[in-house]
């Protein structure tokens, strides 16, 4: 079970992982569209008033291309035997926990809670803020943090197996690649989507 | 089968064979014979190399047989190669 949840790259073939990852990406993109969430950065997720299917697809394409490009460059630097297919399957499978987040905005529950809270933001009315809205947003924050940790753990484990990385310098390179992918995806989404 | 000790339990230096004997006529030969590099590897690594030969060197077949992914098996082979190179240079 631990292998399946955190180290699927150790056991399952790249083809199996790739198919599962692509199906999850399609479903995640659709969820983002119908539940009004945007993956507007490799590590970002934001609740929006409205989103289009085109916007959801471009967001995810930019995120995937940024992550795959940066991790492939870092992987080749660490080990010349690193294969592109292992990096692609790592990235698409690692994002599966993230794709569950739009479900939390079912029936616009998060959007309503956010808008509801905004109405009570003044110094006088802040004490009248509905507790249910606060609980909903705290729960979303906690679940989001857990999903980010799961997502990055999967990325790191997959990257380690794809590159046979052992040195501490490889971990530093992984962090640099992840942060660079985040910045690159933010810039690309901001300019093109 | 008994595990062949390859390192001294006292100082951890590599062991050498100092006596060989014939199981039929009990002739005993004394000397100092270094162990081949492959015998100095762990049992797990030796089994891996054995499987590698049995699958004609196909890592894909090995991965399927071991129920592991291709990069996991390739990494194991790379680690063994690194150990062999270390043993050869020491």
């Amino acid at each position: 079970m631990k292998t399946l949840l955190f180290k699927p790259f150790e056991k399952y073939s790249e083809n199996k992982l790739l198919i599962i990852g692509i199906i999850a990406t399609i479903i995640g993109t659709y969820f983002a569209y119908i539940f009004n969430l945007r993956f507007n950065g490799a590590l970002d997720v934001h609740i929006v008033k409205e989103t289009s299917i085109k916007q959801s697809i471009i967001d995810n394409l930019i995120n995937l291309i940024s992550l795959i490009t940066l991790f492939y460059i870092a992987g080749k630097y660490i080990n010349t035997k690193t294969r592109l297919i292992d990096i692609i399957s790592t990235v698409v499978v690692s994002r599966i926990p993230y794709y569950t987040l739009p479900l939390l905005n079912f029936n616009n529950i998060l959007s309503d809670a956010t808008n509801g809270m905004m109405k009570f933001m003044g110094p006088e009315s802040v004490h009248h803020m509905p507790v249910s809205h606060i609980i909903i947003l705290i729960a979303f924050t906690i679940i989001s943090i857990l999903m980010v940790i799961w997502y990055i753990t999967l990325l790191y484990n997959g990257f380690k197996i794809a590159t046979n990385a052992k040195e501490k310098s490889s971990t530093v390179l992984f962090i640099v690649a992840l942060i660079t992918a985040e910045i690159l995806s933010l810039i690309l989404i901001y300019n093109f989507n | 089968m008994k595990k062949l000790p390859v390192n001294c339990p006292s100082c951890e230096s590599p062991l050498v064979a100092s006596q060989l004997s014939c199981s039929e006529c009990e002739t005993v030969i004394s000397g100092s014979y270094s162990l081949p590099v492959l015998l100095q590897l762990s049992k797990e690594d030796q089994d891996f190399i054995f499987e590698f030969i049995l699958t004609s060197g196909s890592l894909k077949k090995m991965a399927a047989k071991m129920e592991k992914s291709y990069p996991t098996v390739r990494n194991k082979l790379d680690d063994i190669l690194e150990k062999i190179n270390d043993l050869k240079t020491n």
Side-chain angles (χ1 to χ4, degrees):
Chain A
M1 196 62 182
K2 202 179 160 192
T3 306
L4 180 70
L5 292 178
F6 297 104
K7 289 180 178 175
F9 320 101
E10 201 176 278
K11 191 173 176 186
Y12 301 101
S13 76
E14 63 275 12
N15 293 336
K16 219 180 256 182
L17 292 169
L18 199 63
I19 290 166
I20 291 167
I22 290 170
I23 292 169
T25 305
I26 294 166
I27 295 170
T29 306
Y30 185 64
F31 277 173
Y33 160 61
I34 56 169
F35 295 116
N36 296 319
L37 242 88
R38 281 194 68 187
F39 295 109
N40 47 353
L43 295 171
D44 292 68
V45 57
H46 288 104
I47 309 156
V48 288
K49 271 187 185 169
E50 214 177 357
T51 184
S52 67
I53 188 74
K54 187 185 157 206
Q55 208 170 33
S56 297
I57 292 171
I58 295 175
D59 280 349
N60 255 345
L61 272 179
I62 291 173
N63 292 332
L64 292 176
I65 292 168
S66 306
L67 286 163
I68 291 165
T69 308
L70 268 299
F71 282 131
Y72 187 59
I73 294 168
K76 275 284 178 192
Y77 181 78
I78 294 166
N79 183 353
T80 51
K81 288 180 187 170
T82 303
R83 301 185 309 167
L84 182 61
I85 193 165
D86 295 326
I87 297 290
I88 297 174
S89 55
T90 293
V91 171
V92 290
V93 168
S94 300
R95 286 180 65 80
I96 293 176
Y98 243 35
Y99 295 144
T100 59
L101 289 176
L103 293 171
L104 299 175
N105 197 27
F106 178 77
N107 219 5
N108 279 326
I109 190 169
L110 291 171
S111 311
D112 293 346
T114 314
N115 294 333
M117 276 183 78
M118 295 306 272
K119 286 180 193 163
F120 296 93
M121 277 316 223
E124 307 243 326
S125 52
V126 74
H127 305 289
H128 306 291
M129 206 177 265
V131 180
S132 62
H133 290 171
I134 300 170
I135 293 170
I136 288 168
L137 290 177
I138 290 174
F140 175 69
T141 309
I142 293 168
I143 295 170
S144 302
I145 291 168
L146 290 175
M147 291 303 162
V148 173
I149 294 168
W150 189 4
Y151 166 35
I152 295 175
T153 306
L154 279 167
L155 267 180
Y156 182 64
N157 290 340
F159 181 75
K160 251 173 73 176
I161 290 170
T163 60
N164 198 15
K166 289 189 188 76
E167 313 280 322
K168 272 186 186 163
S169 58
S170 308
T171 308
V172 174
L173 211 56
F174 168 82
I175 296 166
V176 171
L178 184 61
I179 294 169
T180 315
E182 162 71 357
I183 296 167
L184 179 69
S185 58
L186 279 173
I187 294 169
L188 290 173
I189 289 171
Y190 184 77
N191 285 297
F192 298 105
N193 205 19
Chain B
M1 205 169 99
K2 277 189 212 166
K3 188 185 158 202
L4 179 73
V6 291
N7 287 104
C8 170
S10 174
C11 72
E12 296 198 348
S13 298
L15 292 171
V16 293
S18 58
Q19 204 176 63
L20 299 163
S21 59
C22 172
S23 57
E24 287 294 316
C25 68
E26 293 178 5
T27 298
V28 174
I29 304 163
S30 288
S32 179
Y33 303 97
S34 303
L35 293 175
V37 171
L38 286 177
L39 284 182
Q40 292 178 50
L41 294 171
S42 68
K43 174 84 171 62
E44 189 194 337
D45 291 348
Q46 286 179 32
D47 289 345
F48 184 91
I49 294 168
F50 191 66
E51 280 297 325
F52 186 64
I53 294 164
L54 287 180
T55 53
S56 310
S58 165
L59 287 177
K60 276 194 178 167
K61 278 184 194 168
M62 271 194 83
K65 206 172 174 183
M66 291 168 72
E67 293 184 341
K68 297 274 180 196
S69 69
Y70 175 89
T72 305
V73 177
R74 188 204 59 210
N75 293 345
K76 174 82 180 157
L77 181 67
D78 287 346
D79 293 345
I80 294 173
L81 284 172
E82 208 179 302
K83 278 185 206 169
I84 289 175
N85 284 329
D86 283 348
L87 287 167
K88 274 168 76 180
T89 48
N90 288 338

